[in-house]
Amino acid sequence: APSGKQITATDLGKYPPVDRVLHKMREKSRKGTLERPLKALDRAVVMAHKTGDKEMMLEAHFDLAVYWEKHEEAEAVVKNLRLAVELITVMRGGKLHVTIEDVAALARVLEVRGKLSQVQELYADLLRGKILALGEHSALLLPWAVGLLDFSLRLRNLDAANIQLQMVQRLRERHVPATQDWFHPPQG
């Protein structure tokens, strides 16, 4: 939504289901209305399963992740966020259409827990799916390749980082004008 502009229910109805849920979660966070009792959250999951409502299921997994994060149960948070990412992948129609924002919550939690290798695997898996669908020269690969390179460097996996840097450079040379500034990862 444009900055400062409130989204109406009609406008929200035009969003894809995943984006609607992500918007609802941002609004709940902003308003401070995220907390619901565990029993109500569990009921929401059961209802979503019974009705086959993927949007309700996605919202329930995000709500459960928030609940368990407040109660400092890291494994339950990761479990629910992984289920949410799997559901997003299905709802978006495959790995090709998954965005960085879609996996941001899971990546953040894994990163805070020191599980950078799992974030690297997540990015690598989604990047492979995008390469299979788009080929290896698509501009849409660049943010994922840069993210994967970042995690490889932070893990000090220099062999993987070298290969990913070459991919990033090829994509950058093909799609980014020479006059445009470009983020350079730390050297060494």
Side-chain angles (χ1 to χ4, degrees):
S3 59
K5 185 179 177 193
Q6 191 68 16
I7 295 178
T8 65
T10 306
D11 292 338
L12 191 58
K14 295 176 186 173
Y15 281 30
V18 172
D19 295 325
R20 275 197 302 268
V21 171
L22 292 174
H23 177 76
K24 287 180 198 173
M25 295 308 295
R26 281 190 296 273
E27 284 299 305
K28 286 180 184 179
S29 176
R30 188 176 62 76
K31 293 178 181 174
T33 58
L34 283 168
E35 189 67 34
R36 285 172 50 195
L38 181 59
K39 196 168 191 172
L41 297 174
D42 287 339
R43 267 195 308 265
V45 170
V46 170
M47 285 303 297
H49 271 298
K50 283 184 178 179
T51 61
D53 187 340
K54 290 181 179 159
E55 187 173 344
M56 183 190 297
M57 178 66 70
L58 181 59
E59 190 170 349
H61 282 303
F62 276 128
D63 284 339
L64 278 167
V66 169
Y67 175 89
W68 288 118
E69 189 169 34
K70 286 185 178 188
H71 291 83
E72 298 182 6
E73 292 288 337
E75 288 302 317
V77 173
V78 170
K79 174 187 161 201
N80 280 287
L81 290 176
R82 282 192 190 280
L83 290 169
V85 168
E86 289 173 15
L87 194 53
I88 287 170
T89 303
V90 170
M91 291 172 72
R92 288 228 190 254
K95 294 176 183 174
L96 171 63
H97 303 292
V98 174
T99 67
I100 289 178
E101 182 186 17
D102 293 340
V103 298
L106 177 58
R108 176 189 59 81
V109 168
L110 290 172
E111 188 174 347
V112 166
R113 294 193 62 217
K115 308 276 187 188
L116 290 177
S117 61
Q118 291 181 20
V119 181
Q120 181 187 31
E121 290 169 15
L122 175 68
Y123 269 63
D125 180 48
L126 291 167
L127 182 59
R128 275 191 301 275
K130 290 176 184 302
I131 289 171
L132 286 172
L134 299 169
E136 55 186 47
H137 301 295
S138 172
L140 298 174
L141 302 176
L142 190 56
W144 291 95
V146 169
L148 185 57
L149 171 62
D150 176 52
F151 287 109
S152 293
L153 287 170
R154 289 165 59 188
L155 285 166
R156 304 206 188 296
N157 186 345
L158 299 182
D159 291 335
N162 187 35
I163 293 166
Q164 292 152 9
L165 180 59
Q166 291 172 24
M167 178 183 198
V168 168
Q169 287 175 329
R170 277 195 312 273
L171 289 168
R172 183 183 152 262
E173 288 167 1
R174 182 179 282 252
H175 299 290
V176 178
T179 57
Q180 184 175 341
D181 287 338
W182 182 70
F183 163 77
H184 291 281
Q187 301 295 313

